[in-house]
Amino acid sequence: MQLRRADVLRGARDLLDAEGLDGLTMRKLGAVLNVQAGALYWHFPGKQALLGAIADDLLAGVAEPPPAGPWDQRLVTLAHKLRQALLGVRDGARLVAETFVTEPNTALAGRIGMRILMDAGLPAEQAAWTMFAVGHYVLGHTIEEQATRPGSGRDAELAAQAAGDADLRELAAAISADPGRRFEFGLGLVLDGIRVRVGPRTPADS
Amino acid sequence: MQLRRADVLRGARDLLDAEGLDGLTMRKLGAVLNVQAGALYWHFPGKQALLGAIADDLLAGVAEPPPAGPWDQRLVTLAHKLRQALLGVRDGARLVAETFVTEPNTALAGRIGMRILMDAGLPAEQAAWTMFAVGHYVLGHTIEEQATRPGSGRDAELAAQAAGDADLRELAAAISADPGRRFEFGLGLVLDGIRVRVGPRTPADS
DNA sequence: ACCTGAACACCGTTCAAGT
DNA sequence: ACCTGAACACCGTTCAAGT
């Protein structure tokens, strides 16, 4: 029963879910796959390459365009798919952040967004820069979302610090709030900003 | 000539600049400070605590409010200070991302932004959520900015991949563009979105 | 082609013992 | 109070040798 590249990838994702990014080691991965750590180097040139492959894998689903519709709705769908992809595995956002635009599927996802914005009337350069902004927001949000996950104790730390300060209490409350709703809020903010540049939707738009 | 906490911190920042986050080890830090690695554990309970302290140190300057003026200008100033703080040391954004809202100064910076937005008329909860969105954008942008720094070869990788595709070429061009200008563009986007919620500036605003 | 075994050069952390 | 020396339990990576 030989090991294939895909098996290593799946094992790595399982281990990542179980142990987090800091707990993902070549030796443990070897153990999970019933193989010596050194054997992994036949399938991947090194740990970084393996991590890059996981990141790329994670974003595979984002590389296809959302269904037809108004540009803003399509962009929202894309942003949601991106967040969901990052949430697909523990510490997924941190993982992708360390490989970012390098991996093919990240670039492809950006390209999809560009097309949506160019169809909406934005020139290519503005469309590209806008997608970077959207991507940075999604990445930043999801890194924090995964870092502050319940049980990490980070929310409690802030709560303690906030004891005497009403504003800090509000910030602490925001962290404890449903991250999906907070994501939505920030995404709405960014989209409003994009609308200012694209101009109002006309009846001609589908 | 005894070691003080501040000396360790300064040494760690120097080492970080020289070697990057992955190259910052307790043993190398000990060597830099002419001390055994074990000695560092008298000053800090562990490596994570040391990293957290560096992150907090980095954000120290952001914890004081920008000068009086129109709310949007104050918010832009705050965002700039935040980015500059993250750029203060190599891999600074990645470092802060791994400690995020935990450290005191991160929360304080958020509080400053909240006040600016509340003074502009936003209710506390919206102000808090808005600051998260701004923070996530800044963090996401700066992580990528520091990850794609010249010499890492990431820009070249994308350029190669983009060979046949005009859209990908545009994305590659964006990466090679001045990151400061790209930051400005995205920040302007987010600010336009906030303006929609705050409402137009009235002559009553200073 | 794919993997083992064993080594090399590292890690973070602990802790008795020194000063 | 502050640090050394030395150990413990790990790392990623390489590579001859096996099958």
Side-chain angles (χ1 to χ4, degrees):
Chain A
M1 189 56 182
Q2 268 184 197
L3 217 53
R4 273 157 311 128
R5 197 189 135 95
D7 300 322
V8 178
L9 235 36
R10 195 168 33 72
R13 283 182 66 149
D14 290 347
L15 189 56
L16 194 52
D17 271 326
E19 310 255 16
L21 192 50
D22 297 329
L24 172 55
T25 72
M26 299 301 269
R27 292 172 119 99
K28 283 189 201 159
L29 182 53
V32 164
L33 298 169
N34 290 311
V35 124
Q36 296 296 112
L40 300 171
Y41 290 79
W42 196 91
H43 299 277
F44 292 91
K47 189 181 182 182
Q48 287 310 313
L50 173 57
L51 292 178
I54 303 174
D56 199 48
D57 216 38
L58 225 51
L59 292 171
V62 191
E64 48 191 61
W71 70 265
D72 48 359
Q73 188 183 303
R74 298 186 78 203
L75 205 59
V76 166
T77 303
L78 184 68
H80 277 124
K81 278 169 63 175
L82 183 52
R83 169 164 170 264
Q84 287 305 329
L86 298 178
L87 292 177
V89 72
R90 165 123 85 119
D91 291 334
R94 234 176 89 198
L95 174 65
V96 167
E98 284 165 31
T99 37
F100 215 38
V101 224
T102 287
E103 301 300 327
N105 282 327
T106 323
L108 289 181
R111 212 188 58 127
I112 306 282
M114 271 189 72
R115 288 234 70 84
I116 295 175
L117 288 166
M118 290 169 71
D119 289 349
L122 241 46
E125 197 194 36
Q126 256 194 70
W129 288 35
T130 301
M131 275 320 293
F132 270 98
V134 172
H136 292 152
Y137 165 69
V138 176
L139 193 68
H141 173 93
T142 313
I143 289 178
E144 185 249 312
E145 175 174 355
Q146 288 183 319
T148 6
R149 75 185 214 292
S152 71
R154 303 213 166 173
D155 37 0
E157 273 184 68
L158 182 58
Q161 190 187 151
D165 186 306
D167 294 351
L168 287 186
R169 265 203 307 278
E170 196 69 44
L171 282 175
I175 290 199
S176 314
D178 174 24
R181 288 189 53 228
R182 239 173 53 211
F183 177 72
E184 217 64 50
F185 178 87
L187 185 60
L189 216 64
V190 175
L191 247 92
D192 278 342
I194 302 178
R195 282 194 193 95
V196 172
R197 279 154 178 80
V198 170
R201 209 195 296 171
T202 69
D205 300 332
S206 59
Chain B
M1 189 54 181
Q2 267 182 198
L3 215 53
R4 272 155 314 127
R5 198 188 133 95
D7 300 323
V8 178
L9 236 35
R10 194 171 30 73
R13 283 182 66 149
D14 290 347
L15 188 57
L16 194 52
D17 271 327
E19 308 256 16
L21 192 50
D22 297 330
L24 172 54
T25 73
M26 297 303 268
R27 292 172 120 98
K28 282 191 203 157
L29 181 53
V32 164
L33 298 169
N34 289 311
V35 124
Q36 294 297 110
L40 301 171
Y41 289 79
W42 197 92
H43 299 276
F44 292 91
K47 189 180 181 181
Q48 288 310 312
L50 174 57
L51 292 178
I54 304 172
D56 199 48
D57 216 38
L58 224 51
L59 293 171
V62 190
E64 47 190 61
W71 70 266
D72 48 359
Q73 188 183 303
R74 299 186 76 204
L75 206 59
V76 166
T77 303
L78 184 67
H80 277 123
K81 276 168 63 174
L82 183 52
R83 169 165 171 263
Q84 287 305 329
L86 298 178
L87 291 177
V89 71
R90 165 123 86 118
D91 292 334
R94 235 176 88 197
L95 174 65
V96 168
E98 283 165 31
T99 38
F100 215 38
V101 223
T102 286
E103 301 300 326
N105 282 327
T106 324
L108 289 181
R111 211 187 60 126
I112 306 282
M114 270 189 73
R115 288 234 68 87
I116 295 176
L117 287 167
M118 289 169 72
D119 288 349
L122 241 45
E125 197 194 36
Q126 256 196 70
W129 289 34
T130 301
M131 274 321 292
F132 271 99
V134 172
H136 292 151
Y137 165 68
V138 176
L139 192 68
H141 173 93
T142 314
I143 288 177
E144 185 250 312
E145 175 175 355
Q146 288 181 318
T148 7
R149 73 185 217 294
S152 69
R154 303 214 166 171
D155 39 359
E157 273 184 67
L158 182 58
Q161 189 188 149
D165 186 306
D167 294 351
L168 287 186
R169 265 202 306 279
E170 195 70 44
L171 282 175
I175 291 199
S176 314
D178 174 23
R181 287 189 54 229
R182 239 172 53 210
F183 177 72
E184 217 63 52
F185 178 88
L187 185 60
L189 216 63
V190 174
L191 247 92
D192 278 344
I194 301 179
R195 282 193 193 95
V196 172
R197 279 155 178 81
V198 170
R201 208 194 297 172
T202 69
D205 301 332
S206 61

